[in-house]
Amino acid sequence: MPRPGRERLGRAFCELIERYPAHRLPQTGGVSATVVVTMTLDSLLGKLEQAALLDTGERISPGVARRLACEAGIIPAVLSGSSAVLDLGRARRFHTKAQRIAIALRDKGCTEPGCDWPPEMCHTHHEPPFSRGGPTDVDHGRLLCPQHHTRYHRRT
């Protein structure tokens, strides 16, 4: 029996990625694997054909964005959608998934100068630290890679 070719294996892998149960995905910084696509509602619905923007900065076509949205939950980044609480004061120590996504969209990675770590590999840090009264909200949160996060806490 012949073995499947590279293209067939690639298509099978894509199918696995699209069908894998989201609740079984690993968590990174409190957020499961999430792709945030920023586009207008008209473009998503096919009324306009303008490029969409991934949280990595890569541009994709509206058709690709619609295909991704077909099998995934949609996180509204700019227009429409229901609101999520982004300010929890001191009622909660760790940032929520909605807060982390908002911070990642804003910071686009580790906020230390010269560091190029992407958002999905960073920790969400309180500024000022939670131990010193820092609130758990988007305005006082920032992304730091594990190395810079450790350095920050060693010097404070």
Side-chain angles (χ1 to χ4, degrees), residues 21-36:
H23 71 278
R24 295 189 58 203
L25 291 170
Q27 297 282 314
T28 303
V31 178
S32 60
T34 303
V35 176
V36 179

Side-chain angles (χ1 to χ4, degrees), residues 3-85:
R3 292 184 177 192
R6 289 182 180 152
E7 182 177 340
R8 190 168 175 197
L9 289 172
R11 288 177 187 263
F13 183 61
C14 288
E15 183 74 16
L16 173 67
I17 291 170
E18 290 175 349
R19 303 271 180 216
Y20 197 80
H23 71 278
R24 295 189 58 203
L25 291 170
Q27 297 282 314
T28 303
V31 178
S32 60
T34 303
V35 176
V36 179
V37 180
T38 305
M39 64 191 306
T40 65
L41 181 59
D42 284 342
S43 185
L44 178 65
L45 297 176
K47 296 177 185 175
L48 295 175
E49 287 297 316
Q50 59 190 36
L53 187 65
L54 294 178
D55 55 345
T56 61
E58 183 180 345
R59 292 192 176 280
I60 60 173
S61 72
V64 169
R66 285 190 289 274
R67 189 180 66 77
L68 289 173
C70 182
E71 296 292 332
I74 298 172
I75 299 173
V78 177
L79 302 173
S80 299
S82 59
S83 298
V85 177

Side-chain angles (χ1 to χ4, degrees), residues 105-120:
L105 282 170
R106 181 196 64 209
D107 292 354
K108 299 185 182 351
C110 181
T111 55
E112 281 295 303
C115 188
D116 62 355
W117 277 54
E120 62 274 8

Side-chain angles (χ1 to χ4, degrees), residues 110 115 117-118 121-123 144-152:
C110 181
C115 188
W117 277 54
M121 296 180 73
C122 292
H123 300 165
L144 290 173
C145 68
Q147 180 181 9
H148 286 118
H149 200 194
T150 300
R151 283 185 187 171
Y152 181 92

